[in-house]
Amino acid sequence: MSRRALAATLLIVACRPYPEPPAGGPAAEREPPPQRETPSATTDTVSTSVSAIIDSIRVAVRDSIQAATREAARAAARRDSIAAAARADSIAAAVRDSIRAATRRDSIAAAARRDSLVAQARRDSIAAAALRDSLVAAARADSIAIAARADSIAAARADSIAAALAAARAARPPESDEVEELLALGPSYIPYDVSPRVEWDTDAQAMLTKTLLPVIRSENLSARTRAMFWVLVRPDGTVAKTILQTSSGNVAFDRSAAQVAEQLRFRPARRGDRAVATWVIRDISMIMQ
């Protein structure tokens, strides 16, 4: 029962008169009749009861209003909470949709970029292959041209060398062929009628002294130190080549002795009435004659 209904019931009960006992009952059991109050006292009592009831009603109404207010506040809070949750769910759903859409766009953009890069790489590969083939073809053509030029140059050089050799052979005296044959043959005995002899004079002696004496002194050698050489004498008496046959035991002396042997002049060997080239063995020393 609500507070308002309870207050109305209390008011009705307070205003209802007491019931009288039934007639014919024993006199001792009857309650004495209530003394009738004066009108002013009754009015005051009623007024007090009414005021109390009104106060009670006011308190009940106030409590009811407060309870209703609290209930309304709770309901409003629940509604606000539900609305906030709904808004949050809506915002979350919107964010999820936005994220999905952004992810989808990013995926599409990434796929487009990947396809673009693959296509560009394919184009670059094709271009590189074409450039490589072009360079290979150009290099092959250049190599063929260079080989052709080299063959042409080699042929021209061979022709030039052959012509030069032919001209040299035509202009060279027969003695040159003889000297070349002896150089190719190496040191050996060549038959002759008259042996070659050193043309010994003051110039030769001075050359010998100037070349060997400093070495003998610096190396503290004996004046009898000697080295033996094969000497190839041209038909004109000059030395074409020297080859060490027996060393003196001193490298510096052997080197100086080779210089002396290369600067000697001979009266050439003769076969009949013709001067010929020949190999001859000579000792080189300070006391040579």
Side-chain angles (χ1 to χ4, degrees), residues 115-125:
D115 293 342
S116 176
L117 291 174
V118 169
Q120 183 64 37
R122 193 173 293 128
R123 289 195 297 271
D124 293 342
S125 176

Side-chain angles (χ1 to χ4, degrees), residues 180-202:
E180 288 184 2
E181 290 175 1
L182 291 179
L183 283 172
L185 183 63
S188 58
Y189 175 74
I190 305 299
Y192 46 76
D193 297 330
V194 179
S195 63
R197 296 182 62 183
V198 176
E199 293 182 348
W200 198 252
D201 53 17
T202 55

Side-chain angles (χ1 to χ4, degrees), residues 17-282:
Y18 290 103
E20 294 181 358
E29 294 179 359
R30 292 184 179 176
E31 294 181 359
Q35 297 179 0
R36 296 188 176 274
E37 297 179 356
T38 60
S40 61
T42 303
T43 303
D44 292 338
T45 300
V46 171
S47 176
T48 300
S49 298
V50 170
S51 297
I53 292 170
I54 291 172
D55 292 337
S56 174
I57 291 172
R58 286 176 180 171
V59 171
V61 169
R62 187 175 63 248
D63 293 341
S64 177
I65 291 171
Q66 290 176 352
T69 301
R70 287 193 297 272
E71 188 65 27
R74 292 192 193 95
R78 282 196 297 273
R79 287 196 302 274
D80 293 341
S81 176
I82 293 170
R87 282 196 299 274
D89 292 340
S90 176
I91 292 171
V95 169
R96 285 196 301 273
D97 294 340
S98 177
I99 291 172
R100 290 195 190 96
T103 303
R104 195 174 297 115
R105 288 194 300 272
D106 293 342
S107 177
I108 293 171
R113 283 195 300 272
R114 187 173 59 250
D115 293 342
S116 176
L117 291 174
V118 169
Q120 183 64 37
R122 193 173 293 128
R123 289 195 297 271
D124 293 342
S125 176
I126 293 171
L131 179 61
R132 185 174 60 249
D133 294 341
S134 175
L135 291 175
V136 169
R140 193 172 292 133
D142 292 342
S143 177
I144 293 171
I146 291 171
R149 283 197 299 271
D151 293 341
S152 176
I153 291 170
R157 188 174 295 155
D159 294 341
S160 176
I161 292 171
L165 289 175
R169 289 193 190 96
R172 186 172 55 191
E175 292 82 0
S176 298
D177 293 336
E178 186 179 358
V179 171
E180 288 184 2
E181 290 175 1
L182 291 179
L183 283 172
L185 183 63
S188 58
Y189 175 74
I190 305 299
Y192 46 76
D193 297 330
V194 179
S195 63
R197 296 182 62 183
V198 176
E199 293 182 348
W200 198 252
D201 53 17
T202 55
D203 291 337
Q205 184 66 43
M207 180 267 298
L208 179 68
T209 303
K210 181 180 178 181
T211 305
L212 292 184
L213 187 57
V215 177
I216 291 173
R217 288 176 177 173
S218 64
E219 298 291 327
N220 196 20
L221 301 174
S222 170
R224 293 184 179 276
T225 303
R226 65 176 187 169
M228 185 177 293
F229 289 87
W230 280 98
V231 180
L232 177 58
V233 182
R234 295 187 180 96
D236 60 359
T238 59
V239 175
K241 188 175 181 61
T242 61
I243 298 176
L244 180 64
Q245 173 66 20
T246 305
S247 172
S248 66
N250 185 280
V251 176
F253 185 88
D254 290 345
R255 193 160 40 242
S256 299
Q259 294 177 5
V260 171
E262 290 171 356
Q263 297 178 52
L264 292 176
R265 289 192 63 84
F266 290 80
R267 278 183 289 182
R270 302 186 71 84
R271 190 179 299 121
D273 59 353
R274 187 173 70 86
V276 294
T278 187
W279 286 98
V280 63
I281 291 180
R282 285 293 308 182

